[in-house]
Amino acid sequence: LARLGAVVEICVAAVLLAAGLVLRSSRMKRVALAVLLAASLAGLSANVVRFSVGRPRPVSKKPDGMYGPTTQYRLLGFPSAHASTASATASTVVVAFPLIGVPLLSLAAGVMWSRIHRRRHHPTAVLVGAFIGALFGIGLGLSAKREPEGMES
């Protein structure tokens, strides 16, 4: 799951955009854009923090602590950008389209679990990453769900 990277986010946005075009739903098109924005902003935010903090990944031989700012892979363990983007994608969709979003939450949880299972992140790094993603996802999901004045779905 974690190896898919941004593919899932792009696919979710593409499917929503295609459905929005076929069904002539401006709401679906707005949610597709919101997914891309939420995932991008969450991933960027997580990366800014991780380069600044420099917390070792579980596979690192360094003792836990803060060694940032850094660009060393083994010291980019906090927060999880995968968790951020997965959470942003799922929470954006669950706010706008709950029936579609709930299965995406399961997929996001699988991505998060894989980051811990593969020893890429500590559980706290995954939780903070998920929180960052949820902030962007919920905010942009609510914004995309709201119908602009003078427009109809």
Side-chain angles (χ1 to χ4, degrees):
L1 286 174
R3 292 182 184 185
L4 295 176
V7 172
V8 172
E9 290 83 1
I10 292 169
C11 286
V12 168
V15 167
L16 285 168
L17 179 60
L21 291 170
V22 169
L23 300 173
R24 295 183 181 176
S25 170
S26 61
R27 182 176 178 190
M28 279 193 177
K29 291 184 267 187
R30 287 194 312 273
V31 173
L33 178 60
V35 163
L36 290 177
L37 285 172
S40 297
L41 291 170
L44 179 64
S45 298
N47 279 317
V48 166
V49 173
R50 72 196 315 186
F51 287 115
S52 301
V53 171
R55 182 180 182 194
R57 294 178 182 270
V59 296
S60 175
K61 297 191 185 202
K62 283 192 177 254
D64 200 11
M66 293 187 213
Y67 298 91
T70 184
T71 57
Q72 294 178 33
Y73 172 78
R74 290 190 180 266
L75 297 178
L76 299 177
F78 180 87
S80 168
H82 279 85
S84 292
T85 59
S87 174
T89 299
S91 56
T92 301
V93 178
V94 82
V95 166
F97 300 113
L99 288 175
I100 301 168
V102 169
L104 286 177
L105 287 174
S106 298
L107 182 62
V111 169
M112 293 176 211
W113 172 83
S114 75
R115 302 311 291 168
I116 296 167
H117 178 72
R118 296 183 71 222
R119 298 190 40 142
R120 298 302 187 258
H121 296 287
H122 296 283
T124 53
V126 170
L127 287 174
V128 171
F131 180 74
I132 291 169
L135 287 176
F136 283 104
I138 291 169
L140 285 162
L142 288 172
S143 178
K145 182 179 178 179
R146 191 173 53 236
E147 196 66 45
E149 290 185 32
M151 293 190 69
E152 43 183 89
S153 283

